[in-house]
Amino acid sequence: MSDVTTAEFNEEGKYLRKVKSFVLREGRLTKGQAQALEENWPTMGLEYSPEPLDFAKVFGREADTVVEIGFGMGASLVEMAKAAPELNFIGIEVHKPGVGACLGSAAEAGVTNLRVYHHDAVEVLDHCIPNGSLARLQLFFPDPWHKKRHHKRRIVQAEFAERVRSCLKIGGVLHMATDWENYSEHMLEIMNQAPGYKNQSADGTVVPRPDYRPLTKFEARGQRLGHGVWDLMFERVE
Ligand SMILES: C[S@@+](CC[C@H](N)C(=O)[O-])C[C@H]1O[C@@H](n2cnc3c(N)ncnc32)[C@H](O)[C@@H]1O
């Protein structure tokens, strides 16, 4: 398994410090996660290298492909992959215990249409996902970076919207969900200004949770406590 971060240098060889959407606090892997990685990384893991991925070769078939950024422990991603065997799924996560947990659940569920990167999604989108190749890109409950001075760390920015647009097919959808109202407003503001997208919401704001997105445990608890969840879906039109 490769390292999560890749150093970036400019033409003069000067190190460029990039603002990341995550801070790596690598907790120890549990025994189960370590074992799941060892057993399943060879079949489900995608080694990062800065070149376009050949989906047909990786999955052994032609099918619509869905990418999920920041799948956490992967429970809902595995559930979605199991429920939609006709689709290819690629998960991207920087947190190694999460990658281990996801591979463990995928193996247990007998899922064969899922592959996983342990890397920064921004770099994977920039270098590995071919232009115009995705049916959907999912970003569920990204780190909200509550404090104003940290908002620059939020992954959803104008640059991100443009990066995602080039990965999506025409008609492909960027689906985001958040439980932090201020982040949903930020997402809407960015996406309203992003060229080439159409909001799938009838009133130009949010959409009801589509059936394919499973309700997470965390979300169900939040709902019981009266917390909100906002789903936003934008289609690539140009
Ligand atoms: C708040 S958690 C949500 C996890 C999961 N989607 C859920 O709903 O339970 C956000 C996740 O995004 C991951 N993450 C943040 N920035 C990332 C990036 N640039 N590339 C890959 N994963 C990232 C974090 O490691 C974390 O696991």
Side-chain angles (χ1 to χ4, degrees), residues 98-169:
V99 175
C102 180
L103 293 190
S105 313
E108 202 180 307
V111 157
T112 56
N113 56 336
L114 173 63
R115 300 290 182 278
V116 171
Y117 276 105
H118 175 224
H119 202 81
D120 182 349
V122 169
E123 291 182 5
V124 173
L125 295 190
D126 276 352
H127 303 294
C128 313
I129 306 298
N131 282 344
S133 66
L134 300 182
R136 189 163 76 227
L137 188 127
Q138 306 182 160
L139 178 69
F140 298 153
F141 307 97
D143 296 304
W145 294 106
H146 300 114
K147 292 180 186 151
K148 194 147 197 206
R149 69 170 195 278
H150 288 152
H151 284 184
K152 59 177 180 299
R153 284 189 171 274
R154 288 178 168 174
I155 196 166
V156 181
Q157 307 289 352
E159 236 188 347
F160 177 80
E162 195 47 29
R163 187 175 268 133
V164 170
R165 181 165 74 118
S166 62
C167 294
L168 288 171
K169 302 177 178 191

Side-chain angles (χ1 to χ4, degrees), residues 20-24 68-74 76 92-95 119-122 139-145 155 216 218:
K20 298 279 184 194
S21 61
F22 57 91
V23 175
L24 273 185
E68 179 160 325
I69 294 178
F71 55 73
M73 304 305 263
S76 72
I92 315 171
E93 174 57 64
V94 285
H95 185 56
H119 202 81
D120 182 349
V122 169
L139 178 69
F140 298 153
F141 307 97
D143 296 304
W145 294 106
I155 196 166
T216 62
F218 157 83

Side-chain angles (χ1 to χ4, degrees), residues 144-146 151 154 178 180-187 230:
W145 294 106
H146 300 114
H151 284 184
R154 288 178 168 174
T178 178
W180 186 248
E181 189 168 20
N182 175 268
Y183 202 180
S184 73
E185 289 162 2
H186 169 90
M187 288 169 172
W230 294 268

